[in-house]
Amino acid sequence: DIVMTQSPLSLPVTPGEPASISCRSSQSLLHSDGYIYLDWYLQKPGQSPQLLIYLNSNRASGVPDRFSGSGSGTNLTLKISRVEAEDFGVYYCMQGLRTPYTFGQGTKLEIK
Amino acid sequence: QLQESGPGLVKPAETLSLTCTVSGGSISGHHWSWFRQPPGKGLEYFGYIYSDGSTDYNPSLKSRVTMSVDTSKNQISLKLSSVTAADTAVYYCARFYSTWGYFDLWGRGTLVTVSS
């Protein structure tokens, strides 16, 4: 299985400040079609996960442009340019390249 | 929308059975998956079923998992056999967009507790 490792696991941030979450995969997520099969999800307390980013850098419908995804085949990053109150929760990266699809441990974005 | 349903309490060694009802759209032509999340922990992927009934299960759970689809009812189902306390979790169903490898629709989840 592809192992996904996120850091940090806890990220205290002051609203209005930027935030960055790292995700490393045990294998390259670069497909022969040229796309990196890495998604980012946000899970708010008491809710199901919601898709933020797919194929490493594509924002899902309705996701604000303060969210951006980037990185190479094994080192991926989610950045929030200015954190807002609605952004707090647990962020998960997930590889969609090879079954079984696997998630990182989650990064809890907390109010500082 | 997706809505999970089923017993909230299952006895050890029994089979957990859940249903996911899809509304506002058709099951046909899509892949559907199940996940679970133990209290305070991360997400675990069970596998997917296509609307034609073909499946791909997570090897770590394959011996205990059965997924099925009922297109007439617009439902997918999950059965997990020989449950233990370690299977206590919130269970989610989700739609998988296979072309680009992401889950775009999720149910609200249902808590299943395994206890005698």
Side-chain angles (χ1 to χ4, degrees):
Chain A
D1 296 2
I2 298 177
V3 178
M4 307 298 291
T5 305
Q6 289 183 230
S7 62
L9 299 185
S10 177
L11 183 57
V13 177
T14 301
E17 294 297 305
S20 179
I21 300 170
S22 173
C23 178
R24 290 192 175 187
S25 60
S26 60
Q27 303 174 28
S28 175
L29 302 182
L30 178 63
H31 190 277
S32 57
D33 62 10
Y35 291 104
I36 293 174
Y37 281 72
L38 187 281
D39 310 324
W40 289 96
Y41 297 85
L42 166 61
Q43 187 174 31
K44 298 181 182 179
Q47 297 186 18
S48 55
Q50 59 187 90
L51 177 68
L52 293 176
I53 302 283
Y54 64 96
L55 293 178
N56 188 32
S57 60
N58 295 271
R59 283 186 300 276
S61 176
V63 175
D65 60 7
R66 62 179 180 273
F67 290 92
S68 64
S70 63
S72 64
T74 57
N75 290 287
L76 301 311
T77 303
L78 175 70
K79 293 182 179 179
I80 310 173
S81 58
R82 292 175 307 280
V83 174
E84 298 192 4
E86 64 188 26
D87 301 338
F88 292 97
V90 180
Y91 288 78
Y92 294 95
C93 60
M94 189 209 84
Q95 64 85 14
L97 179 68
R98 197 165 293 124
T99 60
Y101 303 123
T102 47
F103 292 83
Q105 316 97 301
T107 295
K108 188 173 184 179
L109 187 68
E110 304 174 294
I111 299 176
K112 190 173 183 180
Chain B
Q1 292 187 350
L2 285 64
Q3 180 66 59
E4 304 88 349
S5 59
L9 182 64
V10 180
K11 289 183 169 56
E14 294 188 344
T15 295
L16 177 162
S17 296
L18 296 174
T19 298
C20 175
T21 301
V22 179
S23 58
S26 175
I27 276 188
S28 298
H30 295 286
H31 293 78
W32 305 90
S33 290
W34 289 92
F35 297 83
R36 68 181 176 184
Q37 186 172 38
K41 296 188 177 181
L43 295 157
E44 183 176 21
Y45 168 76
F46 274 75
Y48 69 70
I49 183 167
Y50 188 60
S51 54
D52 66 0
S54 57
T55 57
D56 182 277
Y57 298 144
N58 187 331
S60 69
L61 295 163
K62 188 174 184 177
S63 63
R64 298 197 293 138
V65 170
T66 303
M67 295 184 193
S68 58
V69 61
D70 186 334
T71 53
S72 67
K73 295 182 179 179
N74 237 27
Q75 291 178 336
I76 58 172
S77 297
L78 171 72
K79 292 186 185 298
L80 182 66
S81 64
S82 305
V83 297
T84 69
D87 295 310
T88 294
V90 175
Y91 286 74
Y92 298 98
C93 59
R95 186 176 73 178
F96 181 56
Y97 188 64
S98 59
T99 302
W100 300 127
Y102 60 76
F103 296 92
D104 61 346
L105 288 177
W106 293 71
R108 299 178 71 174
T110 186
L111 174 63
V112 178
T113 301
V114 178
S115 175
S116 55

